[in-house]
Amino acid sequence: MESLLARVVPLAFGAAISPTLFALEVLVLSGRRHPVSRAWAVAGGASAVLAVYALLGLTLLDHLDTKHGHSPAGAAIDLGAAVLLALLAFRALHRRPTAAEGHRQRTMSRIAEAPTLSFVGIGGVAMLLNFSTIVLFFPALHEISRSPVDRMEKAAAVLVLVVITLLPVLIPVLLAAGLGSRADPVLARLNRFVGGHSRQITAGIEIFFCILLIWKGIGELRLCRRAAREWTLAGEAPGKRR
């Protein structure tokens, strides 16, 4: 279990670094009407989408030959995620607004008068458009899916992954619920910093994990090739003895 968490937790924290989700949650908490209730609704919508991703991802990965060892499919997942992260980093450094930023701008214009229940949908759509989070979330699921640990330990690892990934929406609302108005200066400072450096933060994380996943994927391919050679030699040995 410790070995599994050592592989999953770094990816989970990478997925959790989401300036857009954090800024959205702080924006909701700065409103005048039911800010904490609305913020919990945003967190609930984001959690629901992430739970669906986890269920679909584990179901799909369960049908791939990535369990209990190294496989080309596992390398393809890592290298595919690395390519997507490279594209997302390029987009983050580009001046055009991203899909998530566009959603946030549209949300800001409608957020004041929206009913509290609609914030569940706002949180869900924000998570759907948060591609950098999802791209790192699936390699972490892959690590869980192929791990030889039992189902209870896999469930615990998925829970850790989901909770860490949701930190951008959980931390602001927990601070607001626990500290009340005393949390406002802290959230305001964090929001100014994150808002002023959101593209650099996002691109930096995406480039870092792109390099990490490329290294990991290439290592996986090398291990697959070595295993294939060993199996070939083992199959040829009885014939040679004859």
Side-chain angles (χ1 to χ4, degrees):
M1 182 64 177
E2 291 81 3
S3 175
L4 173 59
L5 290 178
R7 298 191 302 271
V8 169
V9 168
L11 292 168
F13 275 110
I17 299 177
S18 172
T20 300
L21 282 174
F22 180 82
L24 173 63
E25 193 73 314
V26 174
L27 174 66
V28 171
L29 286 167
S30 67
R32 295 181 178 180
R33 295 177 54 189
H34 315 295
V36 175
S37 298
R38 288 176 165 185
W40 278 119
V42 170
S47 301
V49 168
L50 206 57
V52 171
Y53 274 132
L55 181 61
L56 292 177
L58 288 174
T59 301
L60 175 63
L61 291 167
D62 193 54
H63 290 84
L64 294 177
D65 183 24
T66 62
K67 290 190 171 186
H68 310 320
H70 304 281
S71 72
I77 290 171
D78 292 333
L79 294 173
V83 171
L84 290 174
L85 286 172
L87 294 174
L88 289 171
F90 175 81
R91 187 192 68 166
L93 295 172
H94 199 267
R95 290 187 175 183
R96 289 186 60 186
T98 64
E101 289 172 337
H103 171 67
R104 187 177 68 186
Q105 291 170 0
R106 292 190 297 272
T107 299
M108 290 174 66
S109 64
R110 301 194 301 257
I111 205 169
E113 302 302 323
T116 299
L117 189 60
S118 67
F119 283 75
V120 176
I122 291 171
V125 172
M127 181 60 78
L128 279 171
L129 296 176
N130 199 26
F131 301 122
S132 60
T133 291
I134 302 307
V135 170
L136 285 170
F137 189 75
F138 275 100
L141 283 179
H142 162 235
E143 292 292 345
I144 296 171
S145 175
R146 71 173 185 173
S147 173
V149 302
D150 60 39
R151 290 189 177 183
M152 290 299 295
E153 290 178 320
K154 285 186 178 182
V158 170
L159 181 61
V160 169
L161 170 62
V162 170
V163 170
I164 293 176
T165 303
L166 289 171
L167 287 179
V169 291
L170 291 179
I171 288 176
V173 70
L174 288 172
L175 284 173
L179 300 177
S181 59
R182 289 176 295 172
D184 293 344
V186 177
L187 291 174
R189 285 195 294 269
L190 285 172
N191 193 40
R192 282 195 297 271
F193 175 79
V194 171
H197 303 85
S198 61
R199 285 177 178 263
Q200 294 90 333
I201 293 170
T202 301
I205 290 298
E206 288 165 350
I207 291 169
F208 173 79
F209 280 97
C210 172
I211 295 170
L212 180 65
L213 288 171
I214 288 173
W215 175 79
K216 185 170 173 287
I218 292 174
E220 187 98 357
L221 286 175
R222 287 176 177 171
L223 290 170
C224 290
R225 191 173 303 169
R226 183 185 303 171
R229 279 201 302 267
E230 290 174 354
W231 292 336
T232 301
L233 292 173
E236 290 174 354
K240 289 180 180 179
R241 284 195 298 267
R242 289 172 193 166

